[in-house]
Amino acid sequence: MNQGKEIENPESRFSALLLAAAKLPGVRINREAYLRSALARRCSEDDIRRAIEETPAAAGIPIEVLDKVANDSIRYETGKVSALSAAAGIPGIFALPATVPADLAQYFGHMLRIAQKLAYLYSWPDLFSDEGDDVDDATMGVLTLFFGVMFGTQSANAAVGKVAAMMSEQAAKKLPQKALTKGLIYPIVKKVAGYLGVKMTKDSFAKSVSKAIPLVGAAVSGGLTLATYLPMAKRLKKHLSSLPLAEPSPRETNGEVVDGEVVEDQEPFAPAHAEEHDADTTAVKLEEPQS
């Protein structure tokens, strides 16, 4: 009886799906490889090296440059998840029991991918530092809050801001474990997880209905994914870029304070082809969307 109640608990349901998505092939982003490839066209080698060793903020990379790189990554992930969602809608109603769970898992997987990429650009530490499948509680907590920001919950916005402030004040290179697992942030994490568990169930039902008609369902499903994923990714980008943690630090050279050296292209919002090198093992390979 208790086990059944635990399964039906929205908080537990969301946490189970988040953990399952984090274990999917190609979902975890290698921070060093991503920053090196994503920044290659816009920043000097010295800035890239320091961004990897410390953070993009410590390297003095301007927010405007990071925003352009973030837009490239958002377009890339949005194109992939929308195409995969449309493909899952093709079989029609007879394949619903198989396609809906898989579609939901890959959707969450791509949410995790863009959350990691945006976090690394805006100076958050490595979220998956070990090589195993386990996800520590602090990482689960901060990812839950990131998802909450993507879904527009104000409590998640405030909590992410508090976590970022803690890290900024202490110049920490790791997530604040205690605050996220036992301290003042933990109750907010639980509340957000419960809300997302309920939200996930409602949205999952809506997507199931959209898949009921073959081919037509594919177009509806892909369009629905595009209409939800893109604004959620942009919402997280806007919030993370606004935090003090992302503000570039001035550097001293020969006694003078200088900004980070940035190599700007003449082609605005050109596709970041280096994205293709970030250990993506997802079944469907797509070129990144053109602007």
Side-chain angles (χ1 to χ4, degrees):
M1 181 66 70
N2 290 338
Q3 183 178 3
K5 288 183 179 179
E6 183 177 350
I7 294 174
E8 292 302 318
N9 183 284
E11 177 191 334
S12 299
R13 187 186 306 123
F14 170 79
S15 297
L17 180 58
L18 182 61
L19 185 59
K23 294 181 179 181
L24 291 174
V27 165
R28 301 192 186 191
I29 303 298
N30 181 290
R31 178 181 174 275
E32 178 177 348
Y34 169 67
L35 287 178
R36 180 167 294 283
S37 63
L39 298 174
R41 299 179 62 255
R42 301 186 185 275
C43 301
S44 69
E45 178 59 30
D46 286 343
D47 284 342
I48 294 172
R49 177 183 53 78
R50 187 165 184 185
I52 292 170
E53 293 177 354
E54 299 180 50
T55 64
I61 301 176
I63 288 291
E64 294 78 11
V65 173
L66 296 178
D67 285 346
K68 291 179 181 180
V69 177
N71 286 335
D72 290 338
S73 292
I74 289 173
R75 283 197 302 271
Y76 178 68
E77 295 296 334
T78 301
K80 288 182 62 180
V81 71
S82 298
L84 285 168
S85 182
I90 291 175
I93 196 167
F94 296 106
L96 281 181
T99 59
V100 172
D103 186 36
L104 186 60
Q106 67 87 14
Y107 186 86
F108 265 54
H110 278 81
M111 286 180 68
L112 280 174
R113 282 176 57 85
I114 195 60
Q116 291 171 81
K117 289 182 176 184
L118 295 176
Y120 299 154
L121 283 174
Y122 296 117
S123 296
W124 288 72
D126 200 334
L127 300 177
F128 296 105
S129 56
D130 56 18
E131 298 296 329
D133 287 338
D134 293 337
V135 183
D136 66 49
D137 292 340
T139 293
M140 283 290 290
V142 81
L143 288 174
T144 298
L145 295 177
F146 283 171
F147 273 50
V149 172
M150 295 172 88
F151 276 94
T153 61
Q154 293 302 313
S155 58
N157 280 1
V160 168
K162 289 179 181 178
V163 173
M166 292 177 189
M167 296 178 59
S168 182
E169 291 171 1
Q170 301 172 8
K173 293 186 177 182
K174 291 185 178 181
L175 295 173
Q177 299 277 332
K178 185 176 180 180
L180 284 164
T181 59
K182 299 177 182 178
L184 67 140
I185 305 296
Y186 181 60
I188 303 176
V189 172
K190 291 175 66 67
K191 180 180 178 182
V192 170
Y195 166 79
L196 294 176
V198 174
K199 178 75 173 173
M200 177 187 72
T201 302
K202 293 179 179 178
D203 289 352
S204 178
F205 176 77
K207 295 190 75 173
S208 298
V209 173
S210 75
K211 289 180 168 62
I213 305 175
L215 298 182
V216 175
V220 173
S221 180
L224 180 62
T225 296
L226 176 64
T228 56
Y229 186 92
L230 182 60
M232 286 196 297
K234 288 184 175 181
R235 194 175 290 130
L236 181 61
K237 172 204 161 193
K238 180 179 180 181
H239 188 56
L240 294 183
S241 66
S242 70
L243 299 174
L245 191 65
E247 293 178 1
S249 304
R251 295 182 296 174
E252 289 190 8
T253 302
N254 296 326
E256 295 183 358
V257 176
V258 298
D259 293 329
E261 179 186 357
V262 177
V263 181
E264 281 282 9
D265 287 319
Q266 297 300 316
E267 303 176 25
F269 295 96
H273 294 292
E275 287 265 8
E276 298 174 3
H277 300 296
D278 65 355
D280 184 1
T281 56
T282 309
V284 178
K285 294 283 187 179
L286 298 176
E287 292 186 5
E288 298 176 56
Q290 300 289 332
S291 57

